[in-house]
Amino acid sequence: MGYDVIVVGAGLAGLVATAEIADAGRKVLLLDQESEASLGGQAWWSFGGLFLVDLPEQRRLGIKDSKELAWQDWLGSAGFDRMEDEDSWGRKWAEAYVDFAAGEKRSWLYEMGVRFFPVVGWAERGGYLAEGHGNSVPRFHIVWGTGPGIVAPFERRVREHMNNGLVVYQPRHRVDKLIQQNGGIVGVEGSVLEHSSVLRGEDSSRNVIGDFTYQAQAVLVSSGGIGGNLEAIQKNWPSRLGTPPKKMISGVPAHVDGRMLTITESAGGRIVNRDRMWHYTEGIKNYNPIWSNHGIRILPGPSSLWLDAHGRRFPAPNFPGFDTLGTLEAIQKTGYDYSWFILTQKIIEKEFALSGSEQNPDLTGKSIVQVLSRALPGAPRPVKAFMEQGEDFVVATQLPELVSRMNKLTGDNLLDLADIERQIKARDREIDNKFTKDLQITALRGARQYIGDKLIRVAPPHKLLDPKNGPLIAVRLNLVSRKTLGGLQTDLSGRVLNTSGDAIPGLYAAGEVSGFGGGGVHGYRALEGTFLGGCLFSGREAGRAVAKELS
């Protein structure tokens, strides 16, 4: 049976590319090492946030956005500084992506039935100068249906082509080698893994029961990054972020192992920006894990007091939700792999959300009634479950008890009650006036000028030690692995380049394995909503380019 294209990896980028290629009438073989239960990959687990620019959803909330402002923010966050080499294609992809996010991205998705939650989120707020890191305005658009909602239209398109014979999908087929011929790629070799009945995300068997060889005119690699491979993360850890962490919890399943990066490099593909990665600092251990070492990220509002392992407050702008990598650097320089939030019941009720489709059943299930219930008193149900069952939460009515239990939780006994009490009282004194020198309080008051934050995201400023604001809550925050920002260098058609900068005939890449485009569309930092969006855009562009090349 002849194939025009082989797509390696059935995550979001792979589904998008497969759909686009098959739409053009080309026959596609879609391979993935996991079972069919994992179709859609990491995207299925996501919160479903997308970076979009100057949309009706923003304008209805009084947000004034523009392509020029978004590009200013992107450049300030990316910090491209390898323009003669590793960043040369990443920057071109970035400019094309911002054009896409400010242009046809919404209408393209809308035509496929994708809809958005009406309140736009404000991620990575920055806290620096206008040309520094961060989103100047809210532009984190949550898909109605979260991760499954963004996977669904592309899965539907692929399954339609499976029914008409243009797509053949082979799960449990692990690619071990790219077949080279006359300087190009003409197929793949690999191992057939034994049938696995594990649920989505669970660790699956690696027992081999056979092998395979398939040939095609082109191979497109869309196999993800290294987020589930702690050894690879430690190996590529940049010195600018301090010493590599000795332990992390994992925000992605174990099969996100980076195998195809190494395999593609062996076939001549060039990997760039290996030292750029994206890991979260607000991780909590899942009390009901799905995969090994399963971590969940807290999506925090800006009010919680953030302390290092010694109980010292982080300096500006290391506030919750402002600068992920800036805070990661600050944490790593303490010599410990964890930090603390201290907050109140009022804060957790309004400001805590958990990343992931499974942690947001109301949004994932598209239940308006359940979404409206978030306005009721008390923490959201998934958050409350972690408060009651998660090992990283401490709840107490008085500060002495809270600090004592925090020390007991870690066993390090680094926290001094008097020191923490002094810092909290100093912070609380700043609440008495509408003006303040405490930049975190200034920031949260500024956030409430945005109606979306005021309604559902940012609690009214209040004193942490005032008993009327509910019990005190402490959360131990772990580092949680997530995304690879570097990867295979590709041109704007998704063609994989070699070390000489030439395109390798017949070899394409899309999604995280290509740094979401060009080997690093984000540069050093992400603006959020750009990982799913990067998979969508790079998968679409590479898929269309393959189809055009074959025609």
Side-chain angles (χ1 to χ4, degrees):
M1 184 178 293
Y3 299 103
D4 296 309
V5 184
I6 298 170
V7 175
V8 183
L12 182 58
L15 291 178
V16 174
T18 297
E20 293 290 336
I21 297 167
D23 280 353
R26 296 296 171 175
K27 191 160 189 177
V28 183
L29 174 62
L30 176 60
L31 303 176
D32 197 281
Q33 68 177 354
E34 296 306 304
S35 67
E36 190 168 351
S38 290
L39 191 69
Q42 294 180 64
W44 192 94
W45 294 105
S46 75
F47 193 42
L50 290 175
F51 176 94
L52 291 134
V53 179
D54 193 22
L55 261 61
E57 288 81 2
Q58 290 173 292
R59 294 193 289 270
R60 281 196 293 266
L61 295 167
I63 300 166
K64 296 180 180 179
D65 200 5
S66 67
K67 185 174 74 173
E68 292 74 21
L69 182 60
W71 182 234
Q72 173 182 300
D73 288 346
W74 195 290
L75 288 177
S77 299
F80 295 120
D81 58 5
R82 302 167 182 174
M83 288 307 303
E84 299 302 317
D85 187 15
E86 294 183 272
D87 282 336
S88 58
W89 284 103
R91 191 184 188 281
K92 293 175 183 176
W93 270 94
E95 190 165 9
Y97 177 68
V98 172
D99 285 344
F100 177 60
E104 64 175 311
K105 183 177 181 180
R106 182 183 186 273
S107 60
W108 179 61
L109 292 172
Y110 211 82
E111 289 173 1
M112 286 183 276
V114 175
R115 298 295 184 267
F116 299 101
F117 185 63
V119 180
V120 183
W122 195 353
E124 287 296 297
R125 302 175 188 229
Y128 301 91
L129 301 180
E131 293 183 294
H133 169 63
N135 286 292
S136 298
V137 298
R139 51 172 74 102
F140 187 77
H141 296 73
I142 301 168
V143 171
W144 187 233
T146 66
I150 195 63
V151 170
F154 299 100
E155 179 180 348
R156 181 171 60 250
R157 288 172 62 190
V158 168
R159 290 196 182 278
E160 288 172 356
H161 287 304
M162 290 167 62
N163 291 332
N164 66 29
L166 284 176
V167 172
V168 174
Y169 169 46
Q170 295 278 19
R172 302 299 284 164
H173 279 56
R174 184 185 70 194
V175 172
D176 300 322
K177 181 181 179 181
L178 299 178
I179 301 173
Q180 298 172 274
Q181 183 176 306
N182 299 325
I185 301 301
V186 296
V188 299
E189 295 177 1
S191 304
V192 180
L193 305 180
E194 69 177 358
H195 173 74
S196 175
S197 58
V198 301
L199 300 178
R200 180 187 292 272
E202 293 181 346
D203 297 358
S204 62
S205 164
R206 290 294 177 263
N207 293 333
V208 175
I209 60 172
D211 55 45
F212 62 84
T213 299
Y214 292 112
Q215 293 193 337
Q217 296 180 63
V219 174
L220 190 152
V221 179
S222 54
S223 55
I226 64 172
N229 187 339
L230 180 57
E231 182 180 349
I233 290 171
Q234 292 172 328
K235 179 180 178 181
N236 293 303
W237 192 267
S239 59
R240 66 180 176 275
L241 294 181
T243 58
K246 295 183 177 63
K247 62 179 181 179
M248 301 177 77
I249 54 179
S250 183
V252 296
H255 63 254
V256 187
D257 53 15
R259 287 184 71 256
M260 283 305 301
L261 278 164
T262 302
I263 291 167
T264 309
E265 186 177 32
S266 298
R270 186 190 183 203
I271 299 175
V272 295
N273 300 312
R274 298 174 191 264
D275 60 323
R276 295 179 184 170
M277 51 188 72
W278 189 257
H279 307 301
Y280 292 112
T281 51
E282 314 98 331
I284 51 178
K285 295 179 182 178
N286 194 341
Y287 67 89
N288 186 25
I290 297 170
W291 54 80
S292 300
N293 199 30
H294 189 175
I296 299 292
R297 186 208 174 190
I298 296 170
L299 299 170
S303 299
S304 297
L305 201 68
W306 203 338
L307 308 176
D308 67 16
H310 294 274
R312 297 174 298 218
R313 193 175 173 191
F314 286 112
N318 296 318
F319 310 137
F322 278 68
D323 181 3
T324 293
L325 290 196
T327 310
L328 175 59
E329 178 182 354
I331 291 170
Q332 284 306 101
K333 288 181 178 179
T334 68
Y336 291 85
D337 298 333
Y338 68 90
S339 59
W340 293 98
F341 276 169
I342 290 182
L343 59 149
T344 64
Q345 179 69 23
K346 280 189 176 180
I347 292 174
I348 205 167
E349 287 181 1
K350 196 153 191 175
E351 297 196 9
F352 265 39
L354 300 174
S355 182
S357 56
E358 83 285 10
Q359 299 298 331
N360 295 274
D362 51 353
L363 293 167
T364 302
K366 302 181 181 180
S367 172
I368 295 174
V369 172
Q370 290 185 42
V371 169
L372 292 175
S373 71
R374 292 193 181 210
L376 298 175
R381 184 162 53 86
V383 174
K384 187 176 180 181
F386 269 91
M387 289 176 64
E388 296 173 347
Q389 302 178 62
E391 64 180 81
D392 295 306
F393 282 77
V394 177
V395 182
T397 56
Q398 299 294 326
L399 187 62
E401 179 189 1
L402 188 81
V403 174
S404 175
R405 293 178 59 189
M406 291 165 70
N407 275 323
K408 184 178 180 180
L409 178 61
T410 64
D412 294 329
N413 293 315
L414 299 176
L415 304 176
D416 179 75
L417 171 61
D419 189 34
I420 292 177
E421 186 175 36
R422 173 184 54 77
Q423 293 178 84
I424 296 178
K425 284 184 175 180
R427 179 261 183 208
D428 282 358
R429 291 187 189 104
E430 299 290 321
I431 297 292
D432 288 332
N433 296 288
K434 291 184 178 180
F435 47 87
T436 176
K437 71 176 182 181
D438 189 307
L439 293 181
Q440 183 176 6
I441 296 172
T442 297
L444 68 93
R445 283 175 172 158
R448 285 177 58 83
Q449 297 301 308
Y450 164 50
I451 187 64
D453 274 353
K454 185 174 184 179
L455 287 175
I456 67 170
R457 194 68 176 123
V458 182
H462 60 269
K463 295 185 176 183
L464 301 181
L465 295 181
D466 188 336
K468 71 180 182 183
N469 295 317
L472 290 167
I473 301 165
V475 187
R476 177 178 59 183
L477 305 172
N478 306 273
L479 304 183
V480 56
S481 66
R482 191 60 64 90
K483 297 297 181 184
T484 310
L485 297 188
L488 296 168
Q489 193 170 41
T490 61
D491 65 13
L492 288 176
S493 294
R495 298 184 299 177
V496 177
L497 308 180
N498 61 23
T499 54
S500 299
D502 300 319
I504 300 173
L507 183 59
Y508 295 76
E512 189 175 354
V513 75
S514 66
F516 303 94
V521 69
H522 296 93
Y524 286 94
R525 281 176 164 87
L527 288 172
E528 291 287 28
T530 56
F531 302 128
L532 286 179
C535 289
L536 293 172
F537 184 59
S538 63
R540 190 182 87 144
E541 295 305 292
R544 291 181 177 183
V546 172
K548 183 178 180 181
E549 177 69 21
L550 296 183
S551 67

